[in-house]
Amino acid sequence: MTATDISSLKDLISDFLTAEEPARQTSIEALTLEKGHLHLILRTTAKGAAFLQDAQTTLEDRLRQHPAVSSLTLSLTAHRPAGPAPRKVGAESGHRPLALGKRLTGRSAPPEACLPDVRAVIAVASGKGGVGKSTTAVNLACSLARLDLRTGLLDADIYGPSLPHMLGETQKPVVENGRLRPLERWGMETMSIGYLVDKEQAMIWRGPMVMGALTQLMSDVSWGALDVLVVDLPPGTGDAQLTLTRKLSDKLKAGGAVIVSTPQDIALLDARRGVTLFEKTETPVLGLIENMSYFCCPHCQERTDLFGHGGARKEAEALNIPFLGEIPLLRDIRCSADEGTPLVLRDPDHPASQAYKAIARTLKDRLFPSSC
């Protein structure tokens, strides 16, 4: 990538947008070019989106003719001015912020269109951030894959995607026939919006855009035949959780939710809210994990309960849900995540790796007893 390439691409796009009046309110929100893959996000209006629905293919063809571009992903963000609510298309209308060669707006994907060949979904959730949920999701998914389950891993955190970094993946997914191909990493099929946007770009989207993007990551990705899809949810009990439980109710009933918490009371209070949400949506709660359960000094091996200890086990008993296990607070876990190699692969015999693998075996035994 050179400054000349970027400049010439911007000029090409600007010339295209200014040639037709309906597209003149469209602007470049983000443009990156890495190893020949162009990722372009255009910010437009409802009027401009209507024009680009028909003109998108023409624009993509012109961009592919640029000598520096070998592949591309084009995404549109449409911001409508305040006014009367737009007429819904059919029974339900949905945002499609990731334009993958399909129409920007239209009927939302029905539940059966999401993950038709996936047997079960495991949602890894937490009531609050900072409890190590994503690290837990990555290591559990890798452990399930090592148990001969065809495994996928979906990063459902639109605002703060972290899986690309934790998995050490820098490639961009390609679009085939309007569908994204997941990236294979560590024996798993993976997808994250972090693969599609610049890592320093902030996703300044409102709830409907976030729900639309999450729906597309489920319905517009060629996940293929999987035994289990592990979904790393953002913290809290908001739009992403509701979208997932609504779109994937049957898949979640075949799988369930895993709640990650630390031992202290404030984290357990939020974890309790997460359990309540899944129970109200009739999603099985597979159990509670106590992360950062204790700290062992790497020099003297003295154990210290920095955040208390045993709180999650007691909470699981009080809520009448399974307690899945304890994960220690160790430097090696953090280092492996930063380096892009999950700990269960980097050091399979590590005590923390053994803890992750034991939880994965418990989940497999419950969800797929006939394969044990």
Side-chain angles (χ1 to χ4, degrees):
M1 177 182 68
T2 67
T4 302
D5 291 331
I6 294 296
S7 178
S8 62
L9 283 168
K10 288 182 176 180
D11 289 342
L12 188 159
I13 296 165
S14 296
D15 290 344
F16 179 85
L17 296 176
T18 56
E20 298 287 344
E21 191 280 330
R24 289 175 186 169
Q25 297 179 12
T26 301
S27 60
I28 298 173
E29 184 170 292
L31 186 153
T32 60
L33 181 63
E34 297 182 12
K35 298 180 180 179
H37 184 90
L38 171 67
H39 182 71
L40 172 64
I41 298 179
L42 297 177
R43 179 189 295 270
T44 187
T45 62
K47 185 177 180 180
F51 167 76
L52 288 170
Q53 286 175 6
D54 298 323
Q56 180 178 331
T57 301
T58 302
L59 175 58
E60 291 178 343
D61 289 342
R62 293 189 185 181
L63 291 172
R64 287 191 178 94
Q65 292 174 10
H66 192 282
V69 176
S70 57
S71 60
L72 68 90
T73 303
L74 172 59
S75 304
L76 306 177
T77 61
H79 299 270
R80 296 180 177 86
R87 179 179 64 86
K88 290 188 176 182
V89 179
E92 185 181 32
S93 178
H95 290 262
R96 304 187 72 84
L98 306 177
L100 307 174
K102 297 183 177 183
R103 296 180 65 84
L104 180 67
T105 58
R107 189 185 300 271
S108 295
E112 61 271 16
C114 294
L115 316 179
D117 299 317
V118 175
R119 294 173 63 187
V121 169
I122 297 177
V124 181
S126 66
K128 68 189 302 295
V131 300
K133 170 186 53 56
S134 294
T135 305
T136 301
V138 168
N139 282 280
L140 284 181
C142 287
S143 299
L144 291 168
R146 293 307 180 275
L147 292 173
D148 296 325
L149 292 178
R150 295 169 298 176
T151 305
L153 180 59
L154 169 61
D155 186 353
D157 194 342
I158 303 299
Y159 292 128
S162 56
L163 292 195
H165 184 83
M166 289 186 175
L167 296 173
E169 182 59 80
T170 60
Q171 298 298 312
K172 299 288 185 182
V174 299
V175 180
E176 292 182 348
N177 299 320
R179 295 172 65 84
L180 283 164
R181 286 181 56 189
L183 296 179
E184 194 278 333
R185 189 64 172 166
W186 304 118
M188 305 178 293
E189 300 293 319
T190 71
M191 181 52 63
S192 169
I193 199 169
Y195 292 152
L196 304 174
V197 300
D198 187 270
K199 62 182 179 181
E200 297 179 358
Q201 179 184 342
M203 302 305 295
I204 310 174
W205 286 354
R206 294 187 182 275
M209 299 288 284
V210 172
M211 290 186 287
L214 179 55
T215 298
Q216 287 188 270
L217 292 179
M218 294 184 289
S219 62
D220 291 349
V221 174
S222 301
W223 285 105
L226 298 176
D227 294 312
V228 60
L229 177 68
V230 177
V231 181
D232 178 27
L233 284 169
T237 55
D239 291 335
Q241 288 78 5
L242 293 174
T243 297
L244 184 81
T245 54
R246 179 169 58 87
K247 293 286 186 182
L248 301 180
S249 57
D250 290 342
K251 305 296 182 180
L252 280 167
K253 287 177 182 177
V258 171
I259 310 297
V260 180
S261 179
T262 50
Q264 71 264 45
D265 291 342
I266 188 64
L268 291 167
L269 178 64
D270 291 324
R272 194 176 307 138
R273 295 190 181 101
V275 172
T276 300
L277 178 141
F278 287 111
E279 288 179 341
K280 286 185 176 180
T281 57
E282 300 182 350
T283 299
V285 179
L286 298 173
L288 185 61
I289 296 174
E290 182 170 281
N291 197 32
M292 308 181 194
S293 183
Y294 55 88
F295 171 73
C296 283
C297 175
H299 305 292
C300 67
Q301 305 303 313
E302 180 181 356
R303 173 169 163 164
T304 303
D305 297 333
L306 294 176
F307 302 113
H309 181 261
R313 183 186 294 274
K314 294 178 182 177
E315 189 65 28
E317 293 174 355
L319 294 172
N320 195 30
I321 61 175
F323 178 69
L324 295 174
E326 302 174 350
I327 307 295
L329 174 64
L330 297 174
R331 180 175 179 271
D332 290 340
I333 299 177
R334 191 272 303 167
C335 289
S336 66
D338 285 347
E339 293 170 2
T341 304
L343 184 66
V344 294
L345 305 178
R346 177 188 178 202
D347 189 352
D349 296 325
H350 194 284
S353 297
Q354 295 298 319
Y356 287 125
K357 290 190 283 189
I359 295 172
R361 283 192 294 271
T362 298
L363 295 175
K364 180 184 178 182
D365 291 347
R366 174 169 176 178
L367 300 181
F368 307 104
S370 61
S371 64
C372 299

